[in-house]
Amino acid sequence: MRSIRRRGRVAEKVPAADPRVALEGLLPEIPRDRIGEVWSRLRACTHPRFYAAQLSAEELAPYGGRLDLDSTVAHYLAHGARAGKRPSVIFHPQTYADRLAERGLRLPDGAVPFLHWLSVGWDARIVPTPLFDEAWYRKKHPQIVRAWGFAQYVDRGLYEPQWRPSPLGRHHAGMSVPNAAQEHAPLLLPEMLHRAADHDLTRTSWLEEGCLRALETCATLRSPRVQDLIAKAAAIEPLIEEGVESGLAVTCPPYRAPRLFMAEQAEALRRRVGMTHVDTVVVVPDLTAATIAGVAGQLAAALREAEPAASVLLAAADTAAETEADASRGAATSAVPGLPPGIDVLDLGPFAVGFDEERRVDLLLDLVRGLTARRIVTAGSRVGWRLLAAYGRQLSTAASLGACLEPPERTEQGNLVGFAVKEFQEAFADLDWALVTTAELAADLINRYLLSGSLRQRLVTAYAEDGTSDADGSARQIEAAAVKRIVADGERREEQQRG
Amino acid sequence: MDERAPCDVTAIITAHNEGPLIGLSLRSLLDAVDFARQSGLEVEIIAVLDNPDDSTRVAMADAAEHGCRVVEVAYGDHGLARNEAIRLSAGRYLAFLDGDDLWSENWVVDAFGVCETDPGRVIAHPAINWIFDNGSYCYFLPDQTDPAYDPAFLRVANSWDQLCMAPVEVHRAHPYHRRELDRGFAYLDWTWNLETIEAGLMHRTVPETLHFKRRRATSQFTQARANRSLPFPSAMHDYAWWAAHEG
């Protein structure tokens, strides 16, 4: 069920009054000596970014647009509770009402459902969300010693990737996020906030709706007919029922599946891009001024000049974004200072919120295939290198592949950073060319890899002299011979495909 | 195509090195075929053994006694072996079973019923894939008519495996590819799904039917995944296709 998110109009900051007093006022029936306990639970279950997503820009303005835990709790108790806002990703009002009803209980008139759960439902160990399955959690994580697994999930499971809460999945990509617990930012937040504009977040979300539909689908497993069919098959092959007692994981597209969120984002990206073809995609780590001024931007400009009729897109693949709300900055646009006209840029970060590197690579793969790019270049992007290392074989059947190589640098900690050595080793066989920014690096590669004559020819020198900028800091132009060579490789590749 | 009497369904089991496990699969297939015949369907049974090892050949030595026509081929390729089975089939609909998997008893008759709701245009899949051995899980297959299902999902992940029932003319119009692992192209089922959706066919699920699929460490899926394979290029990977089919 979908409805448009409603936004309040309250814009004043929360009064400085003690929020605990406000909590007492909202829970008149609770003995005063229990308020401290409910207060602790409230704080443990509050998730500022989820709550903030239910507020308008005007409501957030007094907080500088961002709530922390204290201000979220205070705002909720002062305004949100009575307005029906949800401060917690693990409280789904309808699920709570349904599970109360299963026990013959109902919400008292005038009660705030979330606070009722904190003060009453918690003690009855009612799980108020379709995202979590207590029996499953205990089977899959027998090391949990707390009597109620859900309480452990609230404290730790929401923030650490190893805790799978449900047969329906983890509800996130499985990646650790620094400071998630300190910031009360659950790993499932990107999926909770997906398509936020399509859902009334005070009641439900894309993730919860998917879980509810998946649970309905799973219920068919319990039908007498299906049970009979399973029993008949197991009579032939007993292994069919082996392991079932420890819990069956479930994949249920289009409601819940490991790559469902990624597929949604890939499609959102396609719609946002708005183009159906780009001749050259240059994959860069970001769209900072340094990147634009560096070899990637220079190459894009040179290709644009050499092939005026051919389109060029700079795609930033390594950037991070907190929410899909940032997706407007992901749009393809030409308005980037330092780039000549006719070169589009795209930031994949807002479409990769919560993605691990594998999913980022797959998102980029979908983009370059979708745009039927005839030339794909990685220039300093970790994800770009991974793309060529993983899928260079396949991409090279339809596109000319290239890479920009800059000398690795040693960090203060002594680590070597720069182009990805392992990925270079995996991808080099599929590259038509590698644009090398210094003669020293070219010599080093030739020497260490004992490059044969034909492999040596793949190294293209970018500049007559070393470095991407002149002594005065201005950007250099890539040598005409290098550009000519890259263009020729592309033409040769197209000729081969036509043949 | 062989000159054989036309029938409603050809039930096809394919095998390579399953050994005695193929007996379990054949047992399950025979049960589903008996069930379908009791409902009035005419069903033929073909087993295609592709470069079978001795234990698989021995396991199938008496299959003819159960009404199963056994054919040996030497492709070393699942797609080509299936294409051979398609060539030999006399059924209006073809249903494939891998040589170590099992059907639920109602699969053939119920899938036939769903296919017949729009003859020639529907590809039927079980409602549930029950994965067993080396870890259990359930995969509820999507129905393309579900408004929540977006075929764009197929750009990044597969939705249906190959153990479907489909009209013979669909199989003949869309034969399987030969796997090209060295070039990084595999996932014959995924590729086939992309091609059939592009062609306007409809993938439906059959309520209360199951396929019991054995998870093997050496499965084609596992090999393809380890090899970072992709499905063969398809128009559906191209943004232009989506732009042309939007709205």
Side-chain angles (χ1 to χ4, degrees), chain A residues 272-284 286-287 291-292 296-297 299-301 303-304 308-316 329-348 367 371:
Chain A
R272 180 71 67 161
V273 167
M275 298 181 282
T276 56
H277 175 71
V278 168
D279 291 291
T280 298
V281 175
V282 181
V283 186
V284 291
D286 51 49
L287 294 170
T291 299
I292 299 295
L299 177 64
L303 288 171
R304 181 75 183 153
S311 48
V312 179
L313 173 71
L314 281 182
R329 78 175 161 94
T333 167
S334 301
V336 169
L339 273 182
I343 297 174
D344 290 303
V345 297
L346 176 70
D347 183 356
L348 272 66
L367 176 78
L371 292 171

Side-chain angles (χ1 to χ4, degrees), chain B residues 5 12 16 19 33 47 55 57-58 74-75 87 98 107 116 136 144 158 168 174-175 208 214 219 228 234 237 244:
Chain B
I12 300 162
H16 165 54
V33 168
S55 65
R57 191 181 285 118
V58 168
Y75 295 119
R87 195 184 69 77
D98 283 347
W107 167 244
E116 283 285 271
S136 307
Q144 205 184 327
N158 192 14
V168 66
H174 303 281
E208 296 194 310
R214 191 182 308 269
S219 72
R228 299 304 297 253
S234 148
H237 289 122

Side-chain angles (χ1 to χ4, degrees), chain B residues 18 49 72 78 97 100 104 118-119 122 135 158 168 173 185 201:
Chain B
E18 289 75 2
L49 311 183
E72 264 197 48
H78 277 218
L97 178 66
D100 52 359
S104 63
D118 191 358
V122 171
N158 192 14
V168 66
F185 295 114
L201 292 146

Side-chain angles (χ1 to χ4, degrees), chain A residues 7 46-47 73 75 235 247 266 288 299 377 410 421 464 479:
Chain A
R7 292 177 182 273
T46 294
H47 306 116
V73 170
H75 190 282
T288 59
L299 177 64
V377 183
R410 202 166 285 282
V421 174
E479 287 290 294

Side-chain angles (χ1 to χ4, degrees), chain A residues 232-379:
Chain A
K232 281 180 173 167
I236 299 172
E237 168 53 291
L239 288 180
I240 281 173
E241 290 191 312
E242 195 171 82
V244 173
E245 67 284 353
S246 64
L248 272 179
V250 168
T251 299
C252 192
Y255 308 116
R256 286 278 79 204
R259 296 173 75 77
L260 182 63
F261 182 56
M262 194 252 144
E264 289 261 329
Q265 296 296 58
E267 183 61 357
L269 175 62
R270 180 190 71 79
R271 291 174 188 276
R272 180 71 67 161
V273 167
M275 298 181 282
T276 56
H277 175 71
V278 168
D279 291 291
T280 298
V281 175
V282 181
V283 186
V284 291
D286 51 49
L287 294 170
T288 59
T291 299
I292 299 295
V295 65
Q298 292 165 27
L299 177 64
L303 288 171
R304 181 75 183 153
E305 195 177 327
E307 302 173 309
S311 48
V312 179
L313 173 71
L314 281 182
D318 300 0
T319 59
E322 279 198 342
T323 68
E324 289 175 40
D326 297 342
S328 56
R329 78 175 161 94
T333 167
S334 301
V336 169
L339 273 182
I343 297 174
D344 290 303
V345 297
L346 176 70
D347 183 356
L348 272 66
F351 301 93
V353 179
F355 280 18
D356 57 7
E357 192 155 284
E358 183 185 335
R359 282 172 174 76
R360 280 180 176 265
V361 169
D362 286 351
L363 185 72
L364 181 59
L365 174 69
D366 189 61
L367 176 78
V368 297
R369 282 198 299 185
L371 292 171
T372 55
R374 62 185 178 87
R375 181 184 294 121
I376 302 166
V377 183
T378 186

